[in-house]
């Protein structure tokens, strides 16, 4: 059966508090655990009023305490902001708390506004601060595995606590650069189709072609992530997805928002011809429909990428509708086997 996973960005819907959004993510983790989803990743965004998740490590720890088997991870930690050694330590602790259930997903995007980026990197060594992502990744590998080698500036340093298992390592990306970085280090590669709806299949092939076996993985590990909205009927799915249509449109226009728009707000919005064109383009990053249609499209997407795992990003404004969407998707995929 096609493996299903979830990416949750802890979106703050209209009329909701950030605290409520975080607790909604935790509740979603419990439900996903019961339904049999493979993994749930949480994102990192800074100085973002509509996305509550600024510290994935903390949220992962909380979710690990209330779930049993689902893998939990970061989608992702924005490594240029941080010391690779501290990131390695954070995820060693998480792995110690939930052995064989932790994913260290890494990215290089700022994950926030320029002001937040400057604050996060304040006092960073000029060697890092986003300037040499590859060197940061190499240091992280050393700290998580056998320790820094003899010719390293911190020779012998290893991340503690020293435990028997290691988190799965993944790179998130929507370009060939991320794919190559992942391939050269034996990391898994997660393509963000929900960010870039074109050319991902070629990027995934590039990753596989350049993959080098390491102690992380002997063979390429892949998944693709996409926005998905599912409901009992296509009409209801379209209504729910209109929130995301408008949210992405407003983001492109640089219009500040106080939360994910409701379907009612989306219905009342006055769309120009250009707006409608942009919505059609953004739909290339989404799957919207009834359960049978969604299951079919998910399998077709996975086949086109040559992967056996799809990660669902859901931005449905209503909590109950979002949870129901994920239930319907899992049931439909199981039924399609």
């Amino acid at each position: 059966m096609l493996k299903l996973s979830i990416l949750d960005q802890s979106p703050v819907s209209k009329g909701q508090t950030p605290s409520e959004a975080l607790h909604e993510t935790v509740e979603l983790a419990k439900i996903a655990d019961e339904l049999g989803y493979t993994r749930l990743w949480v994102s990192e965004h800074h100085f973002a009023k509509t996305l509550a998740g600024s510290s994935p490590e903390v949220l992962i720890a909380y979710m690990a305490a209330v779930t049993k088997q689902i893998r939990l991870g970061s989608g992702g930690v924005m490594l240029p902001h941080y010391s690779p050694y501290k990131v390695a330590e954070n995820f060693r602790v998480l792995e110690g708390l939930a052995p064989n259930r932790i994913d260290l997903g890494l990215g290089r995007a700022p994950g926030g506004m320029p002001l937040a980026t400057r604050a996060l990197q304040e006092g960073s060594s000029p060697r890092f601060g986003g300037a040499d992502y590859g060197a940061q990744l190499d240091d992280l590998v050393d700290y998580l595995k056998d320790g820094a080698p003899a010719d390293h500036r911190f020779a012998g340093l290893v991340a503690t606590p020293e435990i028997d298992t290691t988190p799965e390592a993944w790179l998130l990306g929507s370009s060939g650069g991320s794919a190559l970085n992942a391939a050269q280090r034996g990391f898994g590669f997660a393509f963000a189709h929900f960010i870039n709806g074109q050319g991902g299949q070629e990027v995934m092939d590039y990753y596989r072609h350049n993959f080098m076996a390491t102690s992380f993985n002997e063979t390429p590990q892949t998944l693709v992530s996409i926005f998905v909205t599912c409901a009992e009927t296509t009409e209801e799915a379209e209504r729910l997805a209109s929130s995301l249509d408008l949210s992405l449109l407003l983001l492109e226009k640089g219009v500040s928002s106080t939360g994910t728009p409701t379907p009612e707000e989306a219905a009342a919005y006055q769309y120009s011809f250009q707006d409608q064109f942009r919505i059609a383009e953004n739909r290339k990053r989404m799957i919207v429909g009834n359960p049978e249609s969604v299951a079919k499209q998910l399998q077709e997407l996975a086949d086109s990428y040559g992967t056996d795992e799809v990660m669902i990003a859901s931005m449905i404004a209503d909590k109950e509708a979002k949870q129901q969407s994920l239930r319907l998707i899992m049931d439909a995929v199981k039924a399609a086997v």
Side-chain angles (χ1 to χ4, degrees), residues 2-337:
L2 177 66
K3 291 192 290 187
L4 296 178
S5 296
I6 297 170
L7 171 65
D8 196 68
Q9 297 176 298
S10 301
V12 183
S13 299
K14 284 289 181 67
Q16 189 181 46
T17 68
S19 179
E20 289 171 336
L22 291 171
H23 282 284
E24 187 175 316
T25 294
V26 175
E27 186 176 348
L28 192 67
K30 295 179 186 177
I31 293 171
D33 193 29
E34 295 169 358
L35 291 174
Y37 277 84
T38 299
R39 65 186 95 233
L40 187 149
W41 288 355
V42 290
S43 60
E44 177 183 322
H45 292 89
H46 303 284
F47 202 33
K49 294 182 180 180
T50 60
L51 299 171
S54 58
S55 180
E57 305 93 330
V58 175
L59 192 50
I60 291 167
Y62 198 103
M63 294 189 299
V66 297
T67 55
K68 297 178 180 179
Q69 60 186 12
I70 190 170
R71 297 193 65 89
L72 301 165
S74 52
V77 168
M78 299 298 109
L79 188 58
H81 294 324
Y82 310 114
S83 154
Y85 185 65
K86 185 57 180 173
V87 172
E89 285 191 323
N90 284 342
F91 278 81
R92 271 279 174 86
V93 169
L94 290 170
E95 180 70 16
L97 291 169
N100 297 309
R101 289 180 57 207
I102 301 300
D103 297 337
L104 170 52
L106 298 158
R108 64 183 303 173
M113 303 298 288
L115 183 64
T117 298
R118 296 205 307 272
L120 285 162
Q121 297 180 6
E122 186 177 32
S124 296
S125 164
R127 181 171 182 270
F128 291 139
D132 196 343
Y133 186 52
Q136 284 190 293
L137 291 172
D138 291 338
D139 279 352
L140 187 68
V141 170
D142 288 337
Y143 300 145
L144 281 174
K145 289 297 182 178
D146 301 322
D151 59 351
H152 194 278
R153 64 195 184 286
F154 302 128
L157 183 64
V158 64
T160 55
E162 294 188 54
I163 54 179
D164 294 333
T165 59
T166 303
E168 283 191 13
W170 292 76
L171 281 196
L172 288 58
S174 56
S175 69
S178 296
L180 184 60
N181 274 319
Q184 290 176 334
R185 294 164 180 84
F187 288 2
F189 179 61
F191 186 84
H193 191 100
F194 72 98
I195 294 176
N196 179 10
Q198 296 180 324
Q201 292 84 352
E202 290 77 13
V203 173
M204 195 74 85
D205 287 342
Y206 180 69
Y207 161 76
R208 292 192 189 92
H209 179 74
N210 289 279
F211 182 84
M212 299 172 62
T214 70
S215 57
F216 282 100
N217 289 296
E218 293 184 358
T219 58
Q221 303 298 311
T222 62
L223 66 84
V224 57
S225 182
I226 187 169
F227 286 124
V228 184
T229 302
C230 183
E232 291 283 5
T233 67
T234 301
E235 292 74 21
E236 176 62 8
E238 289 288 343
R239 188 185 76 85
L240 294 171
S242 65
S243 292
L244 180 55
D245 289 334
L246 180 55
S247 182
L248 294 175
L249 183 64
L250 295 177
L251 181 64
E252 290 178 358
K253 290 184 172 184
V255 177
S256 60
S257 175
T258 57
T260 304
T262 64
E264 291 73 25
E265 289 176 293
Y269 190 83
Q270 298 298 308
Y271 296 96
S272 68
F273 176 80
Q274 180 63 24
D275 291 341
Q276 293 171 346
F277 172 79
R278 287 307 311 155
I279 287 173
E281 284 296 301
N282 285 334
R283 280 299 182 101
K284 295 176 181 178
R285 302 188 272 155
M286 304 181 206
I287 290 175
V288 179
N290 61 45
E292 183 180 356
S293 171
V294 166
K296 182 175 182 291
Q297 292 181 71
L298 286 172
Q299 187 62 63
E300 290 172 349
L301 179 74
D303 290 344
S304 74
Y305 273 86
T307 187
D308 65 350
E309 183 172 353
V310 177
M311 181 169 277
I312 295 164
S314 176
M315 296 292 283
I316 298 174
D318 179 79
K319 180 177 74 171
E320 284 73 24
K322 181 176 181 177
Q323 293 173 358
Q324 177 67 355
S325 175
L326 294 169
R327 289 190 182 95
L328 291 171
I329 294 167
M330 179 59 78
D331 289 345
V333 169
K334 288 180 178 177
V337 175

